[in-house]
């Protein structure tokens, strides 16, 4: 009779898979792409097409999956899709098309799945607008410019809005805080209050923007708190920041050996979503470069100076011995000797100080502690 | 989540199709995409995507190395599904995607399919264009009229379902002809149909349609192609019939009767998919929103729910809709009726009667939750737990024994062989029972086990 037990009827739990939001941050610095094209034969249009196929594949996983594309441009970060409300998403070249060409476009549109087509058209059209609005002179002056921190910030704020029910309530909430099972939008949520999982893919061709070290690190920690993995596909110039981003957030880090085959890297390495990643062994970088950039000159350092109060990093003792971050007066007197050869130490001073400290510390202890009598 | 189970039923039905049918199904990008999206487990999708743009077959060992060793059962489940749907061919320890499926899914992703493979929008504007709210209203009316007809309500002759619908209901044994008169009455199957969620109802009817169409010598592959295509269309957009096959054109007329597509005239060459159509291939969660919309639309007079359930098993339903009263009557004893209120009581008898009709406790609970009055919704959980538990207990009173169809494997030659097969069966999740001393095991599906044993024997030689 023990077998006739009804309790299992209550324990039937549906393990639900939440949909995923994929945010793609794409470098759009024309000069950087050009030099990549020359070295490894991957042009920007080819890469964009492959990325769009990747986005489509992501959308194909589930009808509720969503995708966003952010351009990391030379002078700022811009949403390519979803385009900011109020922007004209029609193709700027469309007005010049003949009726025949327009019909051809309509025909080819009919052979695409609606969700895929909308994303693709939007990305391509806003990208064209972005490039048109860019001053060629500015491009020439900024071969390595990148707005990584801005793009990451946009991505994270967008994720916060979409994945946490549009309430924006995460700002005063603590991650992991138990919420109701249904959020304001009526969607299903998991125990951390999110309606969707999210992941960020950074496709990067520019070197580290060292000037943005602090802001980038702050974005990385924000992503860590939101449990959003930052995946990195580094096509050119190995970077310190992005390695750390992937490492800290549990994302995938790949530097493709053959950038022409970008699509296959994307499909195998970056496509698996939250659920699949729990059961897969993903490629990550083992020897992560943990070097930091200094706060004063934004140089990437092996060894530097650290403020004892706020842990700010400096490549040399700050001016007037005042920390530029927390305004603490630092005692830099003992730093004077660092870096100098040992023989060059002022012997006399050292001896005296050593003697002083010895006598200072010895006198009271000699008085207090019992001395064994011989 | 009985609703989940039922809406999945549509796809389980497809799993039983022969290989040749699958090969033909994969010839359309829309179908390849829908099958990819709805029928594969998450890990299976990941494997397919990893293989999709890879020109060479992938060694199984490398896929296995990709998965965490402690997630073996998920991996085996994914492999089993891929084999079952004939999506992969195995050769010398490598996996290759079915070539047709590979090509068509690629077309779906890159947009390289023939024009119209995701529906051909009309190139001219409709003079009498209809909007989304009209389509919703149309779909609701059509669908509701079928439901009303089933419970035997008086419906105006203009809204009586067509002959085709009646034939379908009779064919599916949702209704039957009464012996004494010419009237059609609802069957037990029909009752349990009524309690389903709209999307599962649609799938149930469409599968019946498929079944009937096969008898009428219509090509099932053609029909499935069209159903999957409908699922990928855009709500509120008009489509051209030009790209449809003759079978599919014939289907349009029937689907119009169900409210799945809208055509102004049968001679019109354009058609609009309704919400019932576009929700066809969406998965359960996405579907909950259109389904809720539909449910709200169906119970327009009381869109916030009308049902109050008390801990003493009394029910108060603020409704005068004959459909809703008829549904309530399925699982509760009606006590009195007022112009806008029906009182009823849930009893052991009434629940047992419902269960004998093939309605499950979960269906009843889901229905009551979905239609709960705003006043009741303020509570968490919405329904009184005592009532919910009691309904479940009444159901399992009758479930003292459970039969599982399956296959018995016995007379293993050695203990190690038995253990290996046992472990494999457990990994792929088909093991029902095993007896170690007697070396017998009972599984729900045998094909893969047989394959596995054969392979073992071969490798041992």
């Amino acid at each position: 009779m023990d077998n006739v037990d009804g309790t299992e009827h209550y324990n039937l739990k549906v393990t639900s898979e939440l949909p995923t939001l994929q945010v793609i941050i794409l470098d759009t610095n024309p000069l950087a792409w050009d030099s990549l094209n020359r070295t490894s034969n991957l042009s920007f249009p080819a890469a964009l097409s492959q990325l769009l196929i990747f986005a489509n594949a992501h959308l194909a996983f589930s009808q509720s999956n969503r995708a966003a594309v952010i351009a990391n441009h030379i002078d700022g970060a811009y949403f390519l899709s979803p385009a900011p409300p109020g922007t004209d998403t029609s193709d700027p070249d469309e007005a010049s098309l003949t009726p025949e060409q327009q019909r051809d476009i309509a025909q080819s549109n009919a052979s695409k799945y609606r969700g895929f087509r909308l994303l693709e058209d939007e990305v391509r059209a806003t990208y064209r607008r972005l490039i048109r609005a860019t001053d060629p002179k500015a491009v020439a002056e900024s071969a390595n410019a990148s707005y990584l921190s801005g793009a990451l910030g946009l991505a994270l704020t967008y994720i916060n809005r979409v994945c946490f029910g549009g309430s924006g309530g995460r700002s005063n909430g603590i991650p992991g805080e138990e919420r109701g099972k249904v959020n304001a939008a009526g969607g299903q949520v998991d125990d951390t209050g999110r309606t969707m999982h999210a992941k960020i893919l950074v496709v990067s061709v520019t070197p580290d923007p060292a000037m943005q070290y602090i802001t980038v690190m702050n974005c990385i920690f924000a992503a860590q708190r939101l449990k959003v993995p930052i995946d990195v596909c580094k096509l050119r110039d190995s970077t310190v920041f992005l390695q750390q981003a992937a490492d800290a957030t549990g994302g995938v880090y790949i530097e493709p050996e053959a950038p022409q085959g970008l699509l296959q890297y994307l499909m195998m390495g970056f496509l698996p979503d939250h659920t699949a990643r729990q059961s897969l062994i993903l490629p990550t970088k083992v020897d992560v470069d943990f070097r930091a950039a200094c706060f004063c000159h934004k140089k990437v350092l092996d060894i530097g100076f650290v403020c004892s109060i706020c842990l700010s990093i400096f490549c040399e003792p700050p001016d007037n011995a005042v920390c530029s971050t927390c305004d603490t007066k630092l005692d830099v007197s003992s730093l004077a000797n660092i870096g100098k050869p040992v023989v060059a130490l002022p012997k006399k001073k050292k001896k005296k100080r050593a003697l002083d400290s010895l006598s200072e510390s010895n006198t009271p202890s000699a008085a207090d502690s019992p001395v064994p009598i011989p | 989540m009985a609703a989940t189970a039922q809406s999945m039923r549509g796809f389980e039905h497809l799993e039983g199709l022969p290989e040749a049918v699958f090969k033909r199904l994969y010839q359309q990008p829309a179908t390849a995409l829908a099958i990819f999206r709805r029928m594969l487990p998450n890990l299976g999708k990941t494997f397919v995507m990893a293989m999709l743009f890879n020109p060479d077959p992938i060694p199984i060992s490398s896929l296995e190395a990709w998965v965490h060793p402690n997630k073996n059962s998920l991996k085996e489940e994914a492999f089993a599904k891929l084999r079952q749907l004939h999506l992969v061919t195995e050769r010398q320890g490598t996996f290759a995607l079915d070539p047709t499926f590979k090509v068509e899914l690629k077309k779906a992703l890159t947009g390289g399919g023939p024009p119209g493979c995701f529906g051909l929008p009309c190139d001219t504007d409709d003079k009498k264009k209809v909007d989304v709210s009209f389509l919703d209203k149309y779909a609701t009316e059509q669908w509701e009229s079928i439901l009303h007809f089933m419970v035997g309500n008086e419906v105006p002759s203009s809204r009586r379902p067509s002959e085709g619908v009646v034939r379908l209901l009779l064919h599916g044994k949702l209704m039957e002809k009464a012996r004494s008169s010419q009237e059609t009455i609802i069957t037990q199957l029909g009752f349990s149909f009524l309690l389903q969620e709209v999307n599962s109802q649609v799938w149930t009817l469409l599968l019946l349609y498929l079944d009937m169409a096969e008898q009428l010598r219509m090509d099932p592959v053609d029909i499935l192609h069209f159903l999957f295509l409908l699922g990928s269309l855009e709500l509120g957009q008009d489509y051209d019939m030009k790209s449809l096959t003759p079978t599919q054109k014939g289907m349009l007329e029937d689907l119009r009767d169900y409210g799945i597509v809208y055509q102004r005239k049968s001679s019109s060459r354009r058609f609009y998919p309704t919400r019932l159509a576009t929700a066809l291939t969406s998965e359960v969660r996405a579907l909950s929103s259109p389904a809720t919309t539909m449910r709200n639309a169906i119970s327009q007079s009381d869109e916030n729910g009308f049902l109050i359930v008390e801990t003493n098993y009394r029910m108060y339903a603020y409704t005068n809709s004959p459909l809703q009263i008829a549904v309530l009557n399925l699982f509760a004893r009606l006590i009195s009726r007022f112009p806008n209120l029906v009182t009823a009581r849930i009893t052991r008898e009434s629940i047992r009667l419902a269960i004998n009709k093939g309605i499950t406790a979960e269906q009843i609970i889901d229905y009551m939750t979905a239609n709960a009055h705003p006043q009741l919704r303020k509570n968490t959980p919405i329904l009184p737990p005592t009532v919910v538990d009691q309904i479940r207990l009444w159901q399992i009173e009758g479930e003292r024994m459970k039969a599982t169809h399956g296959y018995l494997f016995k007379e293993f030659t050695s203990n190690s062989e038995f253990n290996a097969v046992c472990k494999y069966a457990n990994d792929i999740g088909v093991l029902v029972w095993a007896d170690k001393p007697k070396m017998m095991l009972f599984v729900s599906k045998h094909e893969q086990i047989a394959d596995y044993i054969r392979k073992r024997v071969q490798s041992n030689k």
Side-chain angles (χ1 to χ4, degrees), chain B residues 356-405:
Chain B
N356 285 340
K357 281 175 185 160
I359 299 168
T360 65
E362 286 305 319
Q363 278 177 336
I364 297 174
I365 293 163
D366 282 349
Y367 180 83
M368 293 201 296
T369 315
N371 293 298
H373 193 277
Q375 203 66 31
L376 202 56
R377 266 182 204 284
K378 287 180 188 160
N379 306 341
T380 38
I382 295 175
L383 298 177
T386 54
V387 178
V388 173
D389 283 355
Q390 190 60 64
I391 292 177
R392 290 204 181 110
L393 284 174
W394 279 329
Q395 163 164 296
I396 59 180
E397 268 179 5
E399 293 175 4
R400 300 274 166 115
M401 238 195 276
K402 200 171 129 200
T404 312
H405 287 276

Side-chain angles (χ1 to χ4, degrees), chain A residues 17 56 61 63 188 279 281, chain B residues 45 66 109 282-283 285:
Chain A
E17 291 169 10
N56 288 349
F61 260 60
Q63 190 138 28
Q188 197 175 357
S279 41
I281 301 165
Chain B
K45 291 179 191 174
W66 198 21
L109 291 186
S282 58
E283 61 282 280
R285 203 167 317 98

Side-chain angles (χ1 to χ4, degrees), chain B residues 281-437:
Chain B
T281 57
S282 58
E283 61 282 280
V284 183
R285 203 167 317 98
L287 160 162
S288 72
S289 46
T292 327
T293 328
M294 279 305 298
R295 200 187 292 123
N296 286 345
I298 282 184
S299 49
Q300 249 167 3
S301 52
D302 29 39
E303 39 188 5
N304 293 319
F306 59 94
L307 208 59
I308 291 184
V309 184
E310 291 184 340
T311 48
N312 57 8
Y313 302 94
R314 283 179 192 276
M315 256 193 333
Y316 304 94
Y318 289 90
T319 179
N320 53 8
S321 143
L323 176 59
Q324 278 159 354
I325 295 172
V327 171
L328 283 184
N329 194 23
L330 290 178
F331 61 87
R333 189 160 60 87
L334 301 184
I335 297 172
S336 49
R337 181 167 178 188
F338 302 99
N340 68 340
L341 173 74
V342 177
T343 66
R345 189 170 185 144
I346 301 174
T347 64
R348 181 167 175 271
E349 272 326 292
S350 70
I351 296 291
R352 294 209 50 74
L353 275 176
I355 285 166
N356 285 340
K357 281 175 185 160
I359 299 168
T360 65
E362 286 305 319
Q363 278 177 336
I364 297 174
I365 293 163
D366 282 349
Y367 180 83
M368 293 201 296
T369 315
N371 293 298
H373 193 277
Q375 203 66 31
L376 202 56
R377 266 182 204 284
K378 287 180 188 160
N379 306 341
T380 38
I382 295 175
L383 298 177
T386 54
V387 178
V388 173
D389 283 355
Q390 190 60 64
I391 292 177
R392 290 204 181 110
L393 284 174
W394 279 329
Q395 163 164 296
I396 59 180
E397 268 179 5
E399 293 175 4
R400 300 274 166 115
M401 238 195 276
K402 200 171 129 200
T404 312
H405 287 276
Y407 307 86
L408 182 70
F409 284 74
K410 58 179 183 177
E411 290 173 17
F412 285 91
T413 50
S414 70
N415 219 344
S416 64
E417 187 183 358
F418 171 76
N419 285 339
V421 176
C422 207
K423 185 175 172 304
Y424 180 74
N426 201 17
D427 278 349
I428 61 173
V430 297
L431 184 68
V432 180
W433 169 88
D435 188 345
K436 212 166 177 185

Side-chain angles (χ1 to χ4, degrees), chain A residues 40-63:
Chain A
S40 50
N41 208 10
L42 176 72
S43 66
F44 181 77
L48 183 62
S49 306
Q50 299 186 11
L51 267 176
L52 285 171
I53 293 175
F54 166 74
N56 288 349
H58 168 73
L59 294 176
F61 260 60
S62 152
Q63 190 138 28

